[in-house]
Amino acid sequence: MYGLDINFLKDRPAYQPKGEQKKSGVKLPTGNLTPIYLGVGLGLCLPVFVGGGLWFIQTKTSELEQAIALLEEEGKKLDVEIASINKIKEQTNAVQAETKSLVTVFDQIRPWSAMLEDLRDRIPASVQIENVKQTPPTPPAQGEAPTNPAGGIEITGLARSFNDVNDFLLVLQQSRFLKSSESKITTASLVDAPLPPSSGANGVQIKPPQVVKYTIQSSLSDVPASELIRELEQKGTVGLVTRIRAMQKTGVITR
């Protein structure tokens, strides 16, 4: 009988011949290694590029923040200057409005001395003036300004006839101190002349002659006093003319 002698130790790696042992480890690729090098290079360069980009962005962000801070500071300074300019403009507008209002009032002055002198020069010899008074302006409609804030004038007196009253009205309509379109006779009636009572040789009372008692109304002219310099000079209103010419020189009143 035969016996089997099997040696399993020979199958173990330690008992294998050196030439027959299997090689272990990572097999290196063979052939063209350029793609591998490129991949490795890109892998190494990518963090550098990312880091450089972040540094560039942070630098630019810091510069932009500084620029924005400077612009905001300049904007605040400009806001202060603009507010100051606006305040000066408001003050200037207020002064101009006050000056304009003062000039408007001053330019509407009608010296009574000049107007009475003008009436004296125009009244016919057959007409007498008993009273001259200024009348208030006509009240305007609600919410409207007066059409003629200077008001008007009312003249009462006596005339020899109705024709003399008409002649007096026509002469007044030529005055630049009055509005010709608003000059009119409001009343005219025959009355006894205001003479002292007298009697004839036989003691008979003599009736006084009749005359026309009239009332003429007109509105004062709205022509500025600066346009009436010639008339004011002719009537001897030297002070007002001097002031108007002084304001014309300074430009407060336009010529």
Side-chain angles (χ1 to χ4, degrees), residues 172-238:
L172 288 178
Q173 288 176 343
Q174 298 175 7
S175 173
R176 295 197 68 190
F177 293 101
L178 303 174
K179 281 187 176 182
S180 60
S181 59
E182 298 183 10
S183 299
K184 57 185 177 180
I185 300 172
T186 56
T187 63
S189 59
L190 288 173
V191 296
D192 291 336
L195 298 175
S198 61
S199 58
N202 299 326
V204 179
Q205 289 292 113
I206 300 176
K207 185 179 180 180
Q210 286 192 319
V211 294
V212 178
K213 186 175 182 64
Y214 67 88
T215 301
I216 295 177
Q217 290 183 346
S218 181
S219 296
L220 297 179
S221 174
D222 53 4
V223 177
S226 56
E227 298 181 15
L228 299 174
I229 291 181
R230 186 171 63 86
E231 287 79 4
L232 292 173
E233 281 182 331
Q234 291 175 351
K235 305 308 176 185
T237 313
V238 180

Side-chain angles (χ1 to χ4, degrees), residues 106-111 223-229 232 240 244:
F106 188 84
D107 218 9
Q108 291 177 347
I109 294 176
R110 296 293 182 272
V223 177
S226 56
E227 298 181 15
L228 299 174
I229 291 181
L232 292 173
L240 179 59
I244 291 175

Side-chain angles (χ1 to χ4, degrees), residues 73-89:
E73 185 177 356
E74 292 179 359
K76 292 179 180 179
K77 292 181 180 179
L78 289 176
D79 290 339
V80 174
E81 293 179 359
I82 290 172
S84 177
I85 292 172
N86 290 334
K87 186 176 181 180
I88 293 173
K89 284 183 178 179

Side-chain angles (χ1 to χ4, degrees), residues 19 24 35 48-49 63 88 106 219:
S24 60
V48 176
F49 290 152
E63 292 177 357
I88 293 173
F106 188 84
S219 296

Side-chain angles (χ1 to χ4, degrees), residues 119-157:
L119 287 176
R120 187 184 70 82
D121 294 340
R122 294 180 183 279
I123 187 171
S126 57
V127 177
Q128 292 181 353
I129 294 178
E130 291 183 335
N131 186 31
V132 178
K133 68 177 181 178
Q134 186 175 6
T135 58
T138 304
Q142 186 175 5
E144 295 182 359
T147 55
N148 186 6
I153 189 173
E154 183 181 274
I155 305 171
T156 58

Side-chain angles (χ1 to χ4, degrees), residues 19 22 26 47 59 78 84 93 112 122 137 143 151 160 167 201 228:
K22 296 181 180 179
V26 179
T59 303
L78 289 176
S84 177
N93 292 334
W112 274 98
R122 294 180 183 279
R160 188 172 54 186
D167 293 341
L228 299 174

